[in-house]
Amino acid sequence: MKPNIKVGLGYDVHQLIEGRQLWLGGILIPSRLGALGHSDADVLLHAICDALLGALSLGDIGIHFADTDIQFKGIDSKILLHKTFALIVEKGWKVGNVDCALILQSPKIAEYVPEMRRQIAKILFIDEDEISIKATTAEKMGFAGEMKGIEAKAVCLLYK
Ligand SMILES: [Zn+2]
């Protein structure tokens, strides 16, 4: 019998500019540069949304929460993750675990990771041990390394 598990992959990127806030994993990170976007531009939560949607072949975050829609302007991405999770639950699936990678040159985010994991775990109704967040610099190479942008990747396992 086929096991009732599915895997999903998510990827997101946002420009970093002055005059914007830097929201990552549902929390505000003190930073000179912030992420540009229609919503709060939380690249990590967006990657997780895409991973959840991808696991069930439900398209991507842009289809469900269009960046031209005024109702999503400046929206807290925790709400988007909550809405995405509701779609998963509606289809009878639960989240097993989520593993993420953040690629940014600075600031250092290690001290914020425990709170990010708490925030995400709360929304997905799982233990924070099931949320992994790793961060890496881009060794000063490419757009992330040159601090022009920030990148996030996420994979998730769904089961029922
Ligand atoms: Zn995004």
Side-chain angles (χ1 to χ4, degrees), residues 86-104:
L87 284 174
I88 304 305
V89 171
E90 203 176 279
K91 295 195 175 289
W93 293 84
K94 292 184 179 117
V95 179
N97 74 305
V98 179
D99 185 20
C100 317
L102 262 174
I103 302 102
L104 79 168

Side-chain angles (χ1 to χ4, degrees), residues 12-14 42-43 46:
D12 196 29
V13 58
H14 282 267
D42 189 324
V43 72
H46 293 178

Side-chain angles (χ1 to χ4, degrees), residues 70-135:
I70 192 78
Q71 69 166 312
F72 302 126
K73 185 160 170 51
I75 196 170
D76 181 342
S77 293
K78 290 193 284 297
I79 296 169
L80 303 183
L81 183 59
H82 180 78
K83 285 175 184 281
T84 303
F85 177 67
L87 284 174
I88 304 305
V89 171
E90 203 176 279
K91 295 195 175 289
W93 293 84
K94 292 184 179 117
V95 179
N97 74 305
V98 179
D99 185 20
C100 317
L102 262 174
I103 302 102
L104 79 168
Q105 195 63 38
S106 86
K108 292 259 179 281
I109 58 138
E111 65 180 293
Y112 305 108
V113 165
E115 181 57 24
M116 292 181 194
R117 293 173 70 201
R118 264 194 293 280
Q119 294 281 340
I120 296 163
K122 204 166 65 182
I123 296 167
L124 301 181
F125 278 86
I126 50 177
D127 197 279
E128 59 196 70
D129 288 345
E130 307 298 348
I131 308 289
S132 157
I133 301 171
K134 307 179 298 297

Side-chain angles (χ1 to χ4, degrees), residues 1-75:
M1 203 182 90
K2 207 173 131 195
N4 268 337
I5 55 171
K6 283 177 183 282
V7 65
L9 165 74
Y11 172 75
D12 196 29
V13 58
H14 282 267
Q15 270 183 62
L16 284 176
I17 60 162
E18 283 181 23
R20 285 275 301 187
Q21 294 182 323
L22 184 61
W23 285 88
L24 283 177
I27 63 172
L28 184 59
I29 310 288
S31 170
R32 184 176 66 83
L33 301 174
L36 180 62
H38 184 67
S39 64
D40 66 4
D42 189 324
V43 72
L44 183 60
L45 295 193
H46 293 178
I48 295 172
C49 285
D50 266 359
L52 296 173
L53 293 169
L56 298 185
S57 306
L58 292 173
D60 61 37
I61 192 171
I63 292 172
H64 294 271
F65 314 110
D67 66 6
T68 48
D69 192 331
I70 192 78
Q71 69 166 312
F72 302 126
K73 185 160 170 51
I75 196 170

